[in-house]
Amino acid sequence: MSAYITHRQALPPGELEALRDALLGSRFVARSPLMGTFQGSRGFALIFTREGRPALEARFPFLTPFLARVLEPGSARGLLPWRERLFSGRQPRAEPNAFYLNLLLLDAGMGVGRHIDATLQEPSGVPDATPRHVSVLYLQVPPGARGGALRLLEDNRPLGEVRPRPGLLVHFQGHLQHEVQPFIGASDDTQRASLVCEQYVFAPEALARLPPFRIQSKAGFAAYLDSQRERTDG
């Protein structure tokens, strides 16, 4: 079983650029809603379930190509043990049914400390819940930037590291520790952008506790009003 797999160009360049511009230009971008090691980063997040995905795509249509790529069951198939890959048709495996999607913006010199993703533990009421796997798409990596690798560990034992580049998609096992090393940019105003999707499998009772679709942002209520006004005017 692989700890992580990568896809060099997950989206065509035009789709990647459109996704990046839409996300970075969103009114919901503000100080990150995540705590702990994410303090100092920026972005916003979306909670959704499989049933809530149509509502999310109606609200953020520019996410559709990303979701089609990342949530496609075969995309992370390489993470399965070889026996499960071989006999997957005979023994169907439950697919992820709940997701936490986070836009992560990091300035030069900033990283993310070692942690295990477990964002949906509290809202699901499952105290030990971790994702089946986590998917990371790199939207923007400043030209000439050095460092910024994603380091993957298990029980503090290094398993490997991934060097970011625009368009690179990484899937890794959800129970793994990971950290993002700071990067050095060519100028002080450089910023790195990635889109992180935690993918969970919950039992029906836990899934019922989650909102089908919810936006998490610290941009303030004015951003929601402006966004709603744009939808109405459109």
Side-chain angles (χ1 to χ4, degrees), residues 9-232:
Q9 189 65 55
L11 294 176
E15 290 185 1
L16 181 71
E17 182 179 354
L19 176 62
R20 180 201 65 200
D21 291 348
L23 285 168
L24 270 60
S26 172
R27 286 186 169 88
F28 293 114
V29 173
R31 185 164 55 90
S32 175
L34 295 170
M35 304 297 289
T37 60
F38 289 89
Q39 290 184 0
S41 66
R42 290 173 56 80
F44 67 98
L46 305 167
I47 297 174
F48 67 102
T49 65
R50 188 183 300 153
E51 289 69 24
R53 179 177 168 183
L56 179 148
E57 293 190 33
R59 177 63 189 80
F60 298 102
F62 53 82
L63 287 173
T64 296
F66 168 80
L67 295 174
R69 181 69 173 87
V70 172
L71 303 189
E72 197 279 316
S75 183
R77 191 168 179 269
L79 295 178
L80 297 175
W82 71 267
R83 289 183 181 273
E84 290 193 37
R85 295 201 299 269
L86 184 62
F87 299 108
S88 60
R90 303 181 192 176
Q91 300 174 330
R93 196 183 198 205
E95 296 297 335
N97 54 15
F99 311 90
Y100 188 84
L101 187 59
N102 174 46
L103 173 65
L104 177 62
L105 304 177
L106 294 173
D107 293 326
M110 184 179 298
V112 177
R114 190 172 303 181
H115 66 285
I116 296 175
D117 288 332
T119 317
L120 294 187
Q121 279 188 4
E122 183 177 350
S124 69
V126 182
D128 59 348
T130 56
R132 162 80 59 81
H133 60 272
V134 179
S135 308
V136 181
L137 175 67
Y138 292 101
L139 301 169
Q140 175 175 284
V141 179
R146 292 178 287 119
L150 169 67
R151 300 186 68 239
L152 299 166
L153 311 94
E154 186 167 25
D155 298 326
N156 295 313
R157 176 175 59 88
L159 297 178
E161 65 178 44
V162 177
R163 299 192 177 279
R165 50 169 289 180
L168 179 68
L169 173 64
V170 185
H171 299 293
F172 61 88
Q173 300 285 350
H175 69 279
L176 297 180
Q177 300 164 300
H178 53 285
E179 60 191 27
V180 179
Q181 297 178 319
F183 74 92
I184 301 173
S187 63
D188 292 338
D189 61 351
T190 55
Q191 187 178 66
R192 204 189 76 180
S194 57
L195 194 54
V196 183
C197 186
E198 302 173 22
Q199 304 196 34
Y200 295 79
V201 178
F202 284 119
E205 60 272 18
L207 188 64
R209 300 186 190 105
L210 296 172
F213 169 47
R214 176 181 295 167
I215 301 171
Q216 287 190 330
S217 172
K218 293 193 173 181
F221 190 59
Y224 291 89
L225 291 178
D226 289 344
S227 178
Q228 185 63 39
R229 188 177 302 112
E230 285 183 357
R231 293 181 66 193
T232 303

